[in-house]
Amino acid sequence: MALAEAGARGRLLRWPRVLLFGDSITEYSFQENGWGTYLAERLVRKCDVVNRGISGYNTRWAKLILPRLITDSTNTDSIVAVTIFFGANDSALKELNPKQHVPLEEYATNLKSMVQYLKSVGITADRIILITPPPLQESAWEKECLAKGDKLNRINATTGQYAQACVQAARECGTDVLDLWTLMQKNQDFSSYLSDGLHLSTKGNSFLAAQLWSRLENKLSALPSLLPYWRDVDHTNPEASLL
């Protein structure tokens, strides 16, 4: 059978999608042992996990590019979950990092604006998960800053204010939220979750993956595997199984 004929006979295969939208902690999530890699492995042949993490970005910039990632013409029915994971850069201290800093109230407004935009293009609140920034381990991050000739440009107490604003924004928008800042600090030595005081270590990636999967499992684990298991293909008439 010609490929064109096979394509005409069979239904177009569309993988559902999970969209990960965030800063460097999302961009790096597809590295070895990353939390995005964990999700992709759990959802193989069920969903495409799409990494749209953009290192260094804050919510002021993110809200501008979100409509370029998902538009009115996007098949939003195929998007089964979206994570919005910003705050680590927004919470940078204004006097030491004015380029990335976003004031607290604007940060909350930007998050709500992004959620409202997703709703406006057909992605319902139950498919959206906000993730707070993780806690900041100041001594480790200060070493990173000093190595670049900078002063410590973030503090954990301020990051916590942004985390609280993220939780409140989710509450107001009716979405789920993963309060990473609070959950990680239930472990007294939360520094083990961080590789450099800001970004996630292997342990931190595993922790986030487990927490996020607990929120996604009920929604996504029941999705069917796409295409039959190879032992179930009728080898004498594969068209009957595959088209």
Side-chain angles (χ1 to χ4, degrees), residues 14-26:
R14 292 188 183 275
W15 259 245
R17 288 175 293 156
V18 175
L19 179 69
L20 311 180
F21 186 42
D23 53 33
S24 57
I25 303 176
T26 297

Side-chain angles (χ1 to χ4, degrees), residues 12-59:
L12 182 63
L13 281 170
R14 292 188 183 275
W15 259 245
R17 288 175 293 156
V18 175
L19 179 69
L20 311 180
F21 186 42
D23 53 33
S24 57
I25 303 176
T26 297
E27 181 175 325
Y28 300 163
S29 73
F30 272 28
Q31 294 179 349
E32 186 176 5
N33 298 315
W35 60 274
T37 303
Y38 175 91
L39 289 179
E41 183 179 0
R42 294 298 295 264
L43 293 168
V44 68
R45 285 183 57 187
K46 291 188 174 186
C47 290
D48 282 337
V49 179
V50 182
N51 187 336
R52 292 295 180 265
I54 308 160
S55 179
Y57 274 50
N58 56 32
T59 57

Side-chain angles (χ1 to χ4, degrees), residues 51-53 103 109 122 127 160-161 168 171 200 229 231 239:
N51 187 336
R52 292 295 180 265
T109 299
R127 288 184 271 165
Q161 294 175 349
Q168 181 61 31
R171 186 176 296 121
L200 301 181
Y229 180 55
R231 291 187 184 277
E239 292 87 350

Side-chain angles (χ1 to χ4, degrees), residues 156-230:
N156 192 39
T158 299
T159 303
Q161 294 175 349
Y162 283 72
Q164 292 169 12
C166 179
V167 171
Q168 181 61 31
R171 186 176 296 121
E172 293 177 16
C173 293
T175 71
D176 201 351
V177 63
L178 175 51
D179 185 359
L180 204 56
W181 190 86
T182 297
L183 289 169
M184 282 188 165
Q185 289 185 96
K186 289 183 177 180
N187 179 337
Q188 290 183 342
D189 183 21
F190 69 88
S191 62
S192 63
Y193 291 129
L194 304 168
S195 62
D196 56 7
L198 177 68
H199 300 96
L200 301 181
S201 64
T202 296
K203 183 178 179 181
N205 273 283
S206 178
F207 181 86
L208 171 53
Q211 292 290 332
L212 187 55
W213 182 247
S214 72
R215 288 159 171 78
L216 290 173
E217 185 173 14
N218 288 340
K219 301 175 186 177
L220 305 184
S221 61
L223 290 172
S225 290
L226 295 164
L227 296 174
Y229 180 55
W230 71 269

